[in-house]
Amino acid sequence: MAELVESSLLTQESTEWSHQQRRFIIYGIGGSGKTQFCCKFAQDHRERFWGVFWIDVTSPETAKQSFAKLGKTGELEATESAGKHWLSHLEEPWLLIINNADDPTLDLQSLFPEGDRGHILVTTRNPNFQIHATVGSAEFKGLEEREALLLLRAAGVQSPWDFSTEDNGNEITDTLGYLALALIHTGALIFQKICGLKDYLDFYNEYRQRLSIGRASKAADDHDYYAVYSTWDLSLNFIEQQRTEASCDAAQLLHIVAFFHFEHIRVDVFTRGLSNRSKALDSPKNMSFSARIFQAIRNRLQPPLRSFSLISYDGKDDSFPLHPVVHAWARDRNSPGSQALWAQVALNTLAEAIQLPPNDSGEAHEEFRRDILPHLNLCLAACPIQIIDYEALFGGYRLPLALVLKYMVLLTFGDQVWKAAKFGYVYLERGFFRDAAVLLLSVKDALVQSRGYKNNETMLAMLALAKAYWGLGRLKEAVVLQKFVVEARTEVLGTKHAETLSAMDQLGQSYWLNGEYHEALELQALTTERMKETLGPEHTDTLAAMDNLGVTHGSWQRYEESVEVHRKVLEFRKKKLGPTHVDTLTTINNVAMALFDLGQIGEAKQLMDKVYEERKAKLGKEHPWTLWALCYLAKITSQMGLLQDAEEMLIPGIEAAKRSLGDDHLGVLMGTGELARVYTRQRRFQEAEVLIQQTLIRLEQSRGSEHPDTVYALWKMSQP
């Protein structure tokens, strides 16, 4: 097999294949060792490739997450489109292994990166996928007879083996169809003395018969299920029969992580949730509580699950993976009803581990929310949040009267709203504004129905939704929400309350981005003065308001005032937050652009370089705020006369922004407008004209022909 794949994929250079992507399809029953073969092939030929990349396509969500991981590897945003884009543009030789392409409804063609570059190995149970091969395909039937005796090594049987031992081993390997995964797990069962080498087949056949009765829907010749899954069922069944607290917990952990992504499952997903719940219940404070919980989780992972090769966890790291096939089995072994239950438990576990502001500050919390994003995507795909229709149930009654009517239903309703708020917050922070907007809109509507418009939680949800709209460029909707909150908080809390002033600052920022500069300046000046009086000049909210006011000064061409305000804010933020905090970077960004407007190009370039590099490291190369910094950096670079450098920044940046934000987003239009100016300066007038026309059409469609941004764009694009 190795020789065939090597000759087909690497050494055949005929004209027929020289100008197309080289794809080889490996098909065969599950557990036969296809994945292990690809691992060894990649290892043996690692010097032929600049990079080897894996995509798991067990489900659409795992495929999406695998490509998103590639996007992150390429220093782009962690999205499916970014991963494919990065691979398709790599000039170095690469090998892509598309693993577990078993679903017959899978659109395999859509998973191949565009273009004619790259070498691709596909593993599948479906022989029909051979049609996608460009250089060949082959069936993988399992291990050779001698190789299959690795069972004896996994069982801890010392060599040399006598004839009786080898005969027993051969009989077992033949029964299990020489499937590598089944043999390894059978060896683990024997090693743990659940059964002996001689009586294993009696044990296996008895269990398989019981299993076939319980799963009558499975075909009698379904080797995938009976040969591989049965060995794991045996292991898990033994663990459950111990009936100890540790064994029950271990089995439940396996049920939960079956609905996470199979890679990088952080142990503190569980410890954070337990710790947060303990605090919510006002348990007595104990500094060692989290440490004791962490150790308890580790104890559940190591002896029960690791001993039977169900997980790979050595206790040294803070995370563990599952083999993709074990991951699929752990989910498939349950009935549809049980799957729905454990998917809900997995989703609840993530929700418990997430904290909302103000208890979520610090880089450790930010890193945690970044790492759980793949797990959150899979859990929501398996168990979408559907908030109960409050109006239909309670007919307009609000809390607390509704509490008397249907207590248990109201608890469920509250739990759904709480989870949607947490998950929307995670998406908002990570720059996935569309996902955030969907969840936060449902939260806002539910709270309006149950608590009314002027409830504090309702107004917080409205402001969070406005931020998602702000990120999407849906500024009119953001302004409507923020205006309402300002008016409601003014009525309920007063004009100088901190929460009222915070809402005023957010509204002023939206006015500015929406081109309403007069309204922005008037509101922000008032807000800043009131914050200085009530909160103090160094308060976090005051500094944010001052920074936003400085940006608006720039829009009024009051550049000296703008620089002065930003430098004051920067001094305080560096002292309080540190030089690389995201808020500090925002202020450095603002200082740089104010200096640019004053013609101090050199210092502006130096500062914007720092902002771009730090945002890229903290948020990712394709995060919206990173792309915004890149656009500003290209603008400065262009002004310095480095037109080729500016073009090389803008083209990939615009492509990334379109993938993340859409063609009509203001940030995308800013980038295309700047690229048109670069083309003009390069005397590439035809290309510039096409871009200018496209940009103006989209500006007029999205913001209106009389909007200040459209008018400004017309004037700016007319400049040399």
Side-chain angles (χ1 to χ4, degrees), residues 625-680:
W625 307 143
T626 308
L627 295 173
W628 203 289
L630 180 64
C631 184
Y632 283 148
L633 183 59
K635 184 176 183 178
I636 296 170
T637 304
S638 174
Q639 190 66 26
M640 297 173 71
L642 303 173
L643 301 178
Q644 184 64 36
D645 291 346
E647 180 185 355
E648 290 174 0
M649 293 178 192
L650 286 167
I651 290 176
I654 292 168
E655 290 178 356
K658 286 180 178 178
R659 291 194 296 270
S660 301
L661 303 171
D663 291 354
D664 294 332
H665 192 276
L666 179 59
V668 174
L669 300 178
M670 282 176 55
T672 54
E674 191 59 41
L675 182 58
R677 295 189 69 212
V678 170
Y679 285 161
T680 301

Side-chain angles (χ1 to χ4, degrees), residues 228-241:
V228 184
Y229 281 17
S230 293
T231 60
W232 295 326
D233 276 326
L234 278 168
S235 299
L236 187 57
N237 185 58
F238 177 79
I239 292 172
E240 291 174 331
Q241 287 180 350

Side-chain angles (χ1 to χ4, degrees), residues 54-69 99-100 260-263 327 331 374 378:
W54 286 79
I55 300 296
D56 177 71
V57 293
T58 303
S59 70
E61 281 301 316
T62 59
K64 179 180 178 181
Q65 293 304 321
S66 296
F67 274 115
K69 187 176 179 182
N99 200 31
N100 300 321
F260 291 171
H261 193 276
F262 59 83
E263 290 185 321
H327 182 260
R331 182 183 296 205
L378 280 178

Side-chain angles (χ1 to χ4, degrees), residues 243-498:
R243 302 191 185 282
T244 64
E245 182 180 2
S247 64
C248 290
D249 288 348
Q252 291 177 1
L253 281 172
L254 189 63
H255 289 310
I256 292 171
V257 299
F259 292 91
F260 291 171
H261 193 276
F262 59 83
E263 290 185 321
H264 195 51
I265 302 170
R266 290 179 54 144
V267 176
D268 62 352
V269 166
F270 304 98
T271 60
R272 282 171 177 265
L274 290 168
S275 179
N276 292 342
R277 174 53 64 93
S278 175
K279 293 174 184 175
L281 296 175
D282 294 324
S283 296
K285 291 185 178 180
N286 184 341
M287 293 300 291
S288 66
F289 178 77
S290 295
R292 290 188 291 108
I293 291 296
F294 186 85
Q295 186 59 46
I297 297 294
R298 288 177 57 178
N299 291 341
R300 268 62 171 172
L301 292 172
Q302 282 189 293
L305 298 178
R306 183 171 180 248
S307 298
F308 291 99
S309 299
L310 293 175
I311 69 165
S312 300
Y313 182 66
D314 58 11
K316 296 178 181 178
D317 299 322
D318 61 357
S319 65
F320 62 92
L322 286 178
H323 189 287
V325 182
V326 175
H327 182 260
W329 157 77
R331 182 183 296 205
D332 294 345
R333 70 182 301 272
N334 290 305
S335 66
S338 293
Q339 287 187 20
L341 171 65
W342 286 110
Q344 186 67 64
V345 173
L347 192 69
N348 291 348
T349 302
L350 288 178
E352 291 284 0
I354 298 167
Q355 289 185 299
L356 290 170
N359 301 316
D360 64 327
S361 59
E363 291 191 3
H365 289 290
E366 292 172 10
E367 182 182 342
F368 174 76
R369 290 190 292 273
R370 180 196 66 204
D371 287 347
I372 66 169
L373 199 58
H375 307 309
L376 178 57
N377 289 336
L378 280 178
C379 281
L380 286 175
C383 185
I385 294 178
Q386 296 178 329
I387 298 179
I388 293 170
D389 187 339
Y390 185 93
E391 290 284 354
L393 282 170
F394 298 104
Y397 288 110
R398 294 203 176 116
L399 290 169
L401 183 57
L403 188 63
V404 179
L405 300 177
K406 294 185 179 180
Y407 177 72
M408 292 306 297
V409 175
L410 198 60
L411 284 180
T412 302
F413 170 80
D415 180 68
Q416 291 168 341
V417 173
W418 171 73
K419 284 187 291 199
K422 287 191 170 188
F423 300 150
Y425 169 60
V426 172
Y427 282 127
L428 182 63
E429 179 188 55
R430 300 310 307 164
F432 293 93
F433 298 125
R434 290 189 183 91
D435 297 311
V438 170
L439 288 167
L440 294 173
L441 177 61
S442 68
V443 172
K444 187 269 292 183
D445 289 344
L447 290 175
V448 167
Q449 293 174 8
S450 61
R451 302 193 178 194
Y453 280 101
K454 296 180 182 179
N455 175 266
N456 184 52
E457 283 75 18
T458 304
M459 289 188 282
L460 286 173
M462 294 172 81
L463 290 176
L465 178 59
K467 286 183 179 179
Y469 287 158
W470 202 91
L472 290 169
R474 294 163 59 178
L475 296 169
K476 291 181 180 179
E477 294 167 270
V479 166
V480 168
L481 290 169
Q482 291 165 339
K483 266 186 177 179
F484 180 86
V485 174
V486 169
E487 292 169 2
R489 283 184 172 177
T490 298
E491 179 183 337
V492 175
L493 303 173
T495 58
K496 295 186 178 181
H497 192 280

Side-chain angles (χ1 to χ4, degrees), residues 92-156:
E92 298 86 352
W94 48 265
L95 172 66
L96 178 67
I97 299 172
I98 298 178
N99 200 31
N100 300 321
D102 303 324
D103 186 348
T105 65
L106 177 70
D107 182 6
L108 186 58
Q109 184 66 41
S110 69
L111 300 178
F112 302 134
E114 292 183 0
D116 56 6
R117 296 172 179 168
H119 301 73
I120 299 177
L121 276 175
V122 177
T123 71
T124 178
R125 301 181 193 179
N126 186 355
N128 294 329
F129 282 159
Q130 293 178 82
I131 62 172
H132 295 287
T134 61
V135 296
S137 61
E139 182 179 7
F140 203 94
K141 298 181 179 179
L143 300 173
E144 298 294 333
E145 182 175 338
R146 191 67 196 172
E147 292 176 317
L149 286 177
L150 63 86
L151 159 72
L152 299 180
R153 290 196 293 273

